[in-house]
């Protein structure tokens, strides 16, 4: 079994998850908030893709906008790594 977390920067993952833990947000809203914490825009995009692949976040469409939300698995991840 391969550990998918070996190539993940936990700090960036936690920052992204904390951004959407209470309310879903668009990708641009997430990037704007997480960039204020010192993370570069391309890095945030990269990690959002990784978090989605790990099923820690998911997206849905509403009013022609894509929103990202944390999954139950993502909430458990935050409990461990917060």
């Amino acid at each position: 079994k391969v550990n998918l977390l070996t190539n993940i920067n936990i700090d960036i993952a936690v920052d992204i998850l904390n951004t959407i833990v209470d309310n879903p947000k668009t990708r641009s809203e997430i990037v704007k908030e997480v960039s204020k914490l010192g993370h570069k825009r391309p890095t945030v995009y990269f990690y959002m893709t990784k978090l989605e692949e790990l099923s820690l976040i998911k997206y849905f469409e509403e009013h022609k906008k894509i929103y990202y939300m944390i999954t139950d698995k993502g909430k458990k991840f935050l409990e461990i790594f917060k």
Side-chain angles (χ1 to χ4, degrees), residues 6-76:
T6 55
N7 294 324
I8 294 289
N9 180 315
I10 300 298
D11 293 335
I12 297 172
V14 167
D15 288 343
I16 292 169
L17 293 172
N18 276 329
T19 302
I20 57 173
V21 71
D22 294 322
N23 296 306
K25 292 185 172 69
T26 65
R27 186 162 87 161
S28 60
E29 291 171 325
I30 295 167
V31 169
K32 185 177 179 180
E33 286 188 39
V34 177
S35 293
K36 290 178 184 176
L37 301 173
H39 305 299
K40 303 278 187 213
R41 184 176 302 264
T43 303
V44 178
Y45 288 138
F46 174 80
Y47 274 91
M48 286 182 68
T49 300
K50 289 293 178 195
L51 294 176
E52 189 176 354
E53 289 172 0
L54 293 169
S55 300
L56 300 178
I57 65 174
K58 64 181 179 179
Y59 68 90
F60 63 94
E61 186 175 341
E62 186 175 283
H63 305 296
K64 297 185 180 182
K65 287 188 177 183
I66 303 289
Y67 290 89
Y68 289 83
M69 62 183 288
I70 192 168
T71 63
D72 289 339
K73 187 175 177 182
K75 290 177 184 176
K76 289 177 185 171

